[in-house]
Amino acid sequence: MRLKRKNTGYLPGHVISLVRGGADYFAMLATVIDNAQHYIHLQVYIFDEDETGQQVAGWLISAAKRGVKVYVLVDGYASQQLSSSFITKLRDAGVYFKFFEPLLRSSNFYFGRRLHHKILVADGIHGLVAGLNISNRYNDIDGTSAWLDWALYIHGQAAFALEHVCMKRLRRRSVKITPLTAWPEPVAMPDAFINCPLRIRENDFLGRKRQVYNSYLEMFKTAQREIIIMSPYFLPGYAFRKRMRLATRRGVKIKLILAGTSDIPISKLAERFVYRWLFKHHIHIYEYQPNVLHGKVAVCDNAWVTLGSYNVNNLSAYASIECNADVSEVKFATHMAHTLS
């Protein structure tokens, strides 16, 4: 079932699937890489040189050796710990590897934008938009559960839009491939949703892109019944708080699912300082306890969803390059809401 809107930038006809972080996500990552025939783009904030990072590097190297063009872009600050031998191994296998560099950086600080989105694209056909980095803590490994996170598998036109997002960050022209006469089948996946309208949303304040930010403001402005937001570092700015307040005054129920245990304790202390204002405006707060929460997703009226790398705070709004996917499909949105409940 589609939610009808005018001029909202949604592309029709996608097959999508919600992918939970951990082993499920990395299995899907491996499947998409293995199915690539022409090219792969992987762009991520953190790429660690641990067991998970070595495994993903092995998949990329195997793809490059069978003739697939592989492009990897990682953030120059968050991934600066990668060794020269690790990078050389990728490059020697034919992988195009590059750091996204801020204006200034050292081992303790950076100044400028950071590449915070998490995207995988294969052939402009298969895509993953996620909140997960490449690191053991996002994987189920050695009996330790991954941090709670989400990804969206995308099969359809929006994957080609993701390819353009990636090429823009690489400052390279799009890879030219033979136009498709028919779309290949999507990869095997559980709980697939078909014929879903979807749009790719970028946030890059210095690049004059505020699409994810505006998706959230749209939720607060148009919601009629309920908004559910999961965010690990929830420090909303003035415009967010104003729209949230106006929504609750219209009778919209807002539920926040926030981290109980945070990987950044000082951020959690700052977040709890906002709780008094949230309670004052009748906003419901739930803290996730089983593990570290890292997922970034929101559902509006069981009708549409935004999911990706965007945190509800000023760092994502003004300093980071982010990417989300918006899905305007009632069955998927209801599934997402039930998953978060």
Side-chain angles (χ1 to χ4, degrees), residues 223-226 245-254:
Q224 299 178 14
R225 299 183 305 277
E226 180 181 74
R245 183 179 72 247
L246 292 174
T248 58
R249 285 181 179 177
R250 298 198 314 272
V252 176
K253 185 176 182 179
I254 300 178

Side-chain angles (χ1 to χ4, degrees), residues 2 9-17 124-127 152-162 183 186 189 192-200 325-329 332:
R2 299 182 185 182
Y10 284 92
L11 299 170
H14 295 85
V15 178
I16 64 172
S17 180
I125 298 167
H126 310 282
L152 187 73
Y153 167 75
I154 300 166
H155 176 271
Q157 299 176 74
F160 192 68
L162 279 176
W183 281 88
M189 64 187 128
F193 294 82
I194 63 172
N195 200 27
C196 296
L198 190 147
R199 63 185 179 183
I200 299 302
D326 290 358
V327 182
S328 179
E329 212 287 328
F332 177 76

Side-chain angles (χ1 to χ4, degrees), residues 176-292:
K176 300 298 182 182
I177 61 175
T178 304
L180 297 172
T181 55
W183 281 88
E185 290 297 314
V187 301
M189 64 187 128
D191 302 321
F193 294 82
I194 63 172
N195 200 27
C196 296
L198 190 147
R199 63 185 179 183
I200 299 302
R201 306 291 272 174
E202 296 180 78
N203 224 80
D204 177 13
F205 182 75
L206 292 180
R208 299 182 180 180
K209 289 276 190 179
R210 303 194 75 188
Q211 294 172 341
V212 187
Y213 181 88
N214 288 333
S215 284
Y216 274 92
L217 295 189
E218 181 183 344
M219 281 194 172
F220 298 135
K221 182 178 180 180
T222 63
Q224 299 178 14
R225 299 183 305 277
E226 180 181 74
I227 298 171
I228 304 172
I229 298 173
M230 174 179 280
S231 180
Y233 317 110
F234 188 81
L235 290 167
Y238 173 76
F240 270 81
R241 294 197 305 272
K242 178 181 178 181
R243 292 290 179 90
M244 291 169 72
R245 183 179 72 247
L246 292 174
T248 58
R249 285 181 179 177
R250 298 198 314 272
V252 176
K253 185 176 182 179
I254 300 178
K255 297 179 182 178
L256 303 179
I257 305 171
L258 309 179
T261 301
S262 177
D263 61 310
I264 307 176
I266 192 170
S267 174
K268 189 63 204 178
L269 290 174
E271 185 177 85
R272 285 184 174 143
F273 184 76
V274 183
Y275 280 14
R276 180 177 295 181
W277 183 92
L278 296 170
F279 289 139
K280 176 182 177 182
H281 294 285
H282 311 290
I283 294 168
H284 302 255
I285 302 171
Y286 302 86
E287 289 191 348
Y288 180 78
Q289 299 297 334
N291 201 344
V292 174

Side-chain angles (χ1 to χ4, degrees), residues 70-123:
V70 180
Y71 303 89
V72 176
L73 181 67
V74 302
D75 187 73
Y77 176 76
S79 297
Q80 63 182 307
Q81 79 291 338
L82 288 175
S83 69
S84 57
S85 60
F86 182 85
I87 296 169
T88 298
K89 181 173 69 173
L90 287 167
R91 287 174 172 166
D92 285 349
V95 175
Y96 179 93
F97 179 93
K98 184 179 179 181
F99 285 107
F100 180 87
E101 297 287 359
L103 296 177
L104 297 170
R105 72 176 173 94
S106 73
S107 59
N108 297 315
F109 86 99
Y110 70 90
F111 177 76
R113 293 180 295 176
R114 61 177 186 166
L115 182 81
H116 192 247
H117 64 215
K118 292 89 175 171
I119 300 172
L120 177 74
V121 188
D123 301 333

Side-chain angles (χ1 to χ4, degrees), residues 315-332:
L315 191 60
S316 279
Y318 300 109
S320 300
I321 296 171
E322 310 280 5
C323 185
N324 274 31
D326 290 358
V327 182
S328 179
E329 212 287 328
V330 170
K331 290 182 180 178
F332 177 76

